[in-house]
Amino acid sequence: MRALWLQDGGVRYTTEAPSPEAAPGEALLRVRLGGICATDLALVAGYAGFTGIPGHEFVADVVEAPGAEGWVGRRVVAEINVACGRCAECAAGRRPHCAERAVLGIRGRPGAFGEKVCAPVVNLHAVPADLPDEVAVFAEPVAAALEVQEQVHVGAGERVVVVGDGKLGQLLARTLARTGCALTVVGRHRDKLDRLARRGIAVCAAGELPARAADVVVECTGNPEGLERARRAVRPGGTIVLKSTYPGAATLDLSSIVVDEVTLVGSRCGPFGKALALLADGLDVSDLVSAVYPLPEGEAAFAAAGRPGMLKVLLTIPPEGGPA
């Protein structure tokens, strides 16, 4: 099978990747389009020690679904956490925190940067017919952005800061702006900040951010420096939401967290159904695609995704029998 293979800090294109076979309760999917995100780049840098086919943002067609044939032929996106269904976390309805979970393209499961991938039927979400692949592929990161509002109350007038103007920061800003909060995005890239400013979202450089003033700060830089910036921005009694995954360790003055009674919230995956509904309702992501590469040019695609100033890089994956 044609796919991208991640190993020893590099990504290469291969035509000899193992073809997946659906286990009971799973569907076999033919991938149409994938998106490279910051987590994929972190995997290359050593995060999670992953080896295999990466990729967890994707749109696909259901090829096989034994016992759930009604899914066959449908265009879908898929939640990325594969739960055991038996542990205490699963029984309590916390499947993303399953003690035995695997994660597509990140932990213990092949991902979607290949011709085919398998996912549990329970993880599938049908894509609305009029939603283009290039929009639907944002379902996973939009869901991750919406998870902040699932975890923390964000209402009109609350002072909210997003630290980071990259791919996730752009989506966080666009989803949070709909709440009516007093939102500011702090970043280091003038062109990315300008994208938000043109949408009426307040932006500033790091040195201009008021200290100890925000009710909620969302950190999504992917850089430990962003965590310290978030700490300086939050008010006593405020909340920091952590969206970054770092290849290495991050440091934080925990005594100051205790003294100022700051709440730390880890935030990961979110509600796919709400994400698809929001995209169908017109959440604009059209300006967030920086480049599109065919699967055989995956190495170049990853290199491009890691360059300063780049936003979303997409991978097109032609059907079997298409160009190699």
Side-chain angles (χ1 to χ4, degrees):
M1 181 181 77
R2 296 173 296 161
L4 299 185
W5 191 265
L6 190 158
Q7 187 171 1
D8 298 329
V11 173
R12 63 180 176 86
Y13 173 70
T14 179
T15 59
E16 300 178 349
S19 294
E21 296 184 5
E26 294 187 350
L28 178 65
L29 314 176
R30 187 191 69 75
V31 183
R32 303 165 66 103
L33 187 68
I36 299 173
C37 83
T39 301
D40 297 314
L41 298 177
L43 292 174
V44 176
Y47 170 68
F50 179 79
T51 293
I53 301 172
H56 57 277
E57 298 179 7
F58 65 97
V59 182
D61 296 314
V62 180
V63 176
E64 299 174 10
E69 283 76 11
W71 281 98
V72 174
R74 301 183 76 177
R75 189 167 56 110
V76 299
V77 293
E79 298 185 36
I80 67 176
N81 294 288
V82 180
C84 74
R86 302 178 302 274
C87 69
E89 294 295 333
C90 288
R94 297 187 290 265
R95 292 174 64 88
H97 297 285
C98 166
E100 303 296 329
R101 79 178 184 279
V103 186
L104 296 179
I106 298 174
R107 174 179 173 180
R109 291 276 301 218
F113 292 164
E115 292 177 279
K116 295 178 181 177
V117 66
C118 290
V121 171
V122 71
N123 287 34
L124 303 182
H125 293 263
V127 175
D130 58 350
L131 199 64
D133 289 350
E134 294 77 13
V135 177
V137 76
F138 281 86
E140 195 276 338
V142 170
L146 289 174
E147 180 68 0
V148 172
Q149 295 178 51
E150 299 286 306
Q151 297 171 295
V152 178
H153 173 71
V154 178
E158 288 193 79
R159 298 166 298 175
V160 179
V161 170
V162 173
V163 181
D165 54 15
K167 295 179 279 292
L168 184 54
Q170 294 282 326
L171 294 173
L172 281 161
R174 295 171 197 213
T175 53
L176 287 166
R178 291 182 167 226
T179 69
C181 67
L183 176 65
T184 301
V185 179
V186 57
R188 298 185 298 179
H189 307 95
R190 190 69 254 170
D191 60 328
K192 293 178 180 178
L193 293 175
D194 287 344
R195 291 173 189 268
L196 297 171
R198 288 193 292 268
R199 296 171 179 271
I201 296 172
V203 300
C204 72
E208 303 168 358
L209 186 65
R212 299 167 65 85
D215 300 306
V216 178
V217 182
V218 186
E219 197 287 307
C220 60
T221 62
N223 188 320
E225 292 178 8
L227 179 57
E228 178 55 34
R229 193 168 295 132
R231 175 65 192 97
R232 291 196 300 268
V234 72
R235 66 165 173 81
T239 299
I240 299 174
V241 183
L242 305 174
K243 298 296 293 190
S244 290
T245 51
Y246 310 117
T251 59
L252 183 63
D253 179 2
L254 293 179
S255 294
S256 72
I257 298 293
V258 174
V259 171
D260 281 349
E261 297 185 325
V262 172
T263 299
L264 295 178
V265 178
S267 184
R268 190 163 46 99
C269 303
F272 268 60
K274 291 182 180 180
L276 284 170
L278 192 58
L279 289 165
D281 189 46
L283 181 70
D284 186 11
V285 295
S286 60
D287 64 325
L288 299 183
V289 177
S290 293
V292 181
Y293 288 80
L295 182 67
E297 297 179 22
E299 282 188 56
F302 265 77
R307 288 200 292 265
M310 296 293 281
L311 289 169
K312 185 63 66 181
V313 173
L314 301 180
L315 285 166
T316 59
I317 304 173
E320 291 182 77

